[in-house]
Amino acid sequence: MITYAEKDFTSEEVYALLLPFVRDWFVQQYGDLTPVQRKTIPFVKEGKNVLISSPTGTGKTLAVFLGIIDNIYQFYLTFGTLPEGVYAVYVSPLRALNNDMRKNLIEPIKGIRELARQRGIELPEIEVAVRTSDTPPNEKQKMARKPPHILITTPETLAIALNAPKFREKLKNTRVIIIDEIHELASSKRGSHLSLSVERLENIVGRPLQRVGLSATISPLDEVASFLVGYKDDGGLRDCVIVDARFDKKLDIKVLMTVDDLIHSSAEELNEAIYNQLLKVIKEHKTTLVFTNTRSATERVVFKLKKTMEKSKIVDIDDIETHHSSLSRDVRLDIESKLKNGLLKAVVSSTSLELGIDIGYIDVVVLLSSPKSVTRLLQRVGRAGHHIREVSKGRIIVVDRDDLVECAVLAKLALERKFDRIRIPKNPLDVLAQHIVGLSLEKKWSVEEAFRLVKRSYSFHTLSFEDFLSVVKYLAGELGDFYEYQRVYSKIWFDEKEGVFGRKKTSRMIYYQNIGVIPDESKAHVFTTEGRYVGDLEEGFVEYLSPGDLFVLGGRVYEYLGSKGFMVKVRPADGLRPTVPSWFSEMLPLAYDSAIEIGKFRRQVSDWVEKWDREKVVEEIMKNYYLTRNAAETIYEYVRLQKTYTNAKVPSDKTILIEVYDEPERRNIIVHSLFGRRANDALSRIYAYHVGKKLGVNVKLTVTDNGFMISIPGHPVLNWSGILKELPTDYEKIYSDLVKVLRKTELIKRRFRHVAVRSFMLLRRYRDSEKSLSKLQVNAEELLKAVEEIENFPVLKETYREILMDYMHLDEAIEIIEKIRSGEIEVVEIGPFDVPSPFAHSIVVHGYSDVVLMEDMRKLLRRLHEKVLEKLSGNFE
């Protein structure tokens, strides 16, 4: 049963639960307990499962460990010895967080022992150790002989520790497992993997573990709590108390428009204004953390910022650094150390500093463009003012009108603490395959017993026995006759008659060397049909391509023909316009919940424009969305221009606008669906499939957060809105249609490799050899052909599930179609136009432009805007 912590304990009530020297150490160090500490410590002391959600810097981690340290010393004072073996396991997604945590624990333990010694009580030291892939073998051997009382680790290393013969024994007395940054883990396959590790750990221990989850910003809390605790064998959820302290921290968030006119300002003017604004913020604050949305943008911003600094001579260029996941570990650690020691004025990051690494004092966070979700916005801004009594200060710099609308809504939602819902992957079969091999290393298992254990995990609670058995049979080499031919060997033995499975001799090495769910990414090498090397593309970009797509590389346009492994074949397409922007794969997608709120805002402003005069609308936008007059006027003009030009409803959460836009050689169907890119990706492919089927042609597709565009040769006539209204809502029908679409794409080939590697079908490493990614990709493509004919083959089935439910959001697309069918969402068709409407400009430009050539993008936006004004010259003032 999930309950919420209602009682607000006083500091005195909490102190009464702690040993005198623990209490006195805390009071000397911190003065008083924070609200989240008062609520949390009693539940930790009592051994309850607890999920704590509160902003960074509110003291939640110390609350948990203070209770645990106190319990360990209570045990010592009662029994005269410290608990044997590992007492608490702390898991975090980042190795950098682990080293910080060890330092942060040693300090209170040392201080508490010193205070006790002053009172004549000699306390033994509570041992704290970090065990990750970076830990040297001799350290691991030492841990097996003398295990730490508190083990700090990562999800991957915990899975290996469960099967380390000597160390596994030391885990049998574990009482508590703490999962930090649980929001980051739960939303990915790493979380699914960890949830099974926790169930396996509890199975080894033989009694219920106390489970503690820590999170900054997350929703819905009930689901995250369910993920943390999982299920009992009777099918009921285990108990969990939620400490909801998400509103403890003060926020100061503002949206900044750096130029007066977002349309007519050139790329040079906008760039100069952005960097001048950045420089102004950096100069006015001690340490500034700047977030971009892509790794490439991070490098570009630091380069341009240093150039601007050199000219201004206000800030030394050595006082600014870049931090992202592509940098080497040593470089990242050096930058983190400089930050902690207050040696930097500014750091520019993509996503790598979002999580709670201790980076010292940051007094302002700047976001360049929309962070694409309320949760990410709060996570980023929460890095500033790293203490409960300080204000988290954030500034969002916008780059165009859509960005302004988006950021205005996200900032308001953040201040109101309206979070996006988390998505937790369900029943990922590749993760299950790893753990079945792991279980086989422990002992001989009955299939029924192993299935019961797996279903205790929230991530696998709805798993069917058929799917479980299918994975067991696949691992035992019993699905199809391709195994020997493709050199895929069984990892376990399975006796179907007895219903038991166990390990094979080679399984242990395979498990240790290939465990983990984060895919290896690489760059693909691009060659023309004549064999000329052109350059490299990110693998994430290649997987989005289909034959015939046009993209920019090295300033030239190429047509994608196909690929084999990591070799991409293209032919020059000079003079043609790109259909896929090269930065697409790196862009963060707008969350569905946030997208719906943006749609509501557009509808609300549209209603205001109809009812009131300009001044009243502008005042209302300023008052409700904390914007400057200039920003509010820009939004007013944007919505008014759209309404005047189309003479139709503004696309919103309740209206999908289908706009026909004609060019000389082709017809573009622009679907304004304000539901975020993941939902639009699925919806657009379903729609394009049915349009293509009716016309008998392949259609080109451009997908954005605010809609999608399909481009068709010639000017065919169809009932475009009728097709959208008649799309099937049956999951199985849509699923089978999308499988047909996906089979022809790079996406399936790349994702199949990821899933095959996770499922131990393809081995990255075995004994002393390591396969190159290119070789793995070639092997994956051959395997894909071999297993396509096997019905419900688990590795292929999981590949489709991952693409349709994790990469795209098919469930959200079906929800939209159902709302169209029920009339809750209206579909309006307009056109044909020879100039697209204002709201369509960014969708059109996404299809034609490359962000590296930002000048071209802005010129095209400005030109489209001017064409709209020309069309309206008689109607628009």
Side-chain angles (χ1 to χ4, degrees), residues 605-642:
V605 174
S606 173
D607 291 345
W608 290 343
V609 168
E610 282 179 20
K611 286 192 305 189
W612 300 330
D613 62 19
R614 174 195 171 101
E615 185 56 30
K616 185 154 171 47
V617 176
V618 169
E619 290 288 342
E620 205 65 25
I621 295 171
M622 286 168 66
K623 184 177 80 183
N624 285 284
Y625 290 86
Y626 323 110
L627 294 173
T628 62
R629 172 167 292 277
N630 194 17
E633 285 173 347
T634 301
I635 291 171
Y636 168 83
E637 292 297 346
Y638 190 29
V639 173
R640 181 175 173 243
L641 186 59
Q642 173 71 17

Side-chain angles (χ1 to χ4, degrees), residues 230-238 452 455-456 461:
Y231 290 84
K232 296 175 282 192
D233 278 336
D234 65 6
L237 270 172
R238 296 185 181 102
R452 273 200 308 277
K455 277 181 73 79
R456 289 175 205 146
H461 189 62

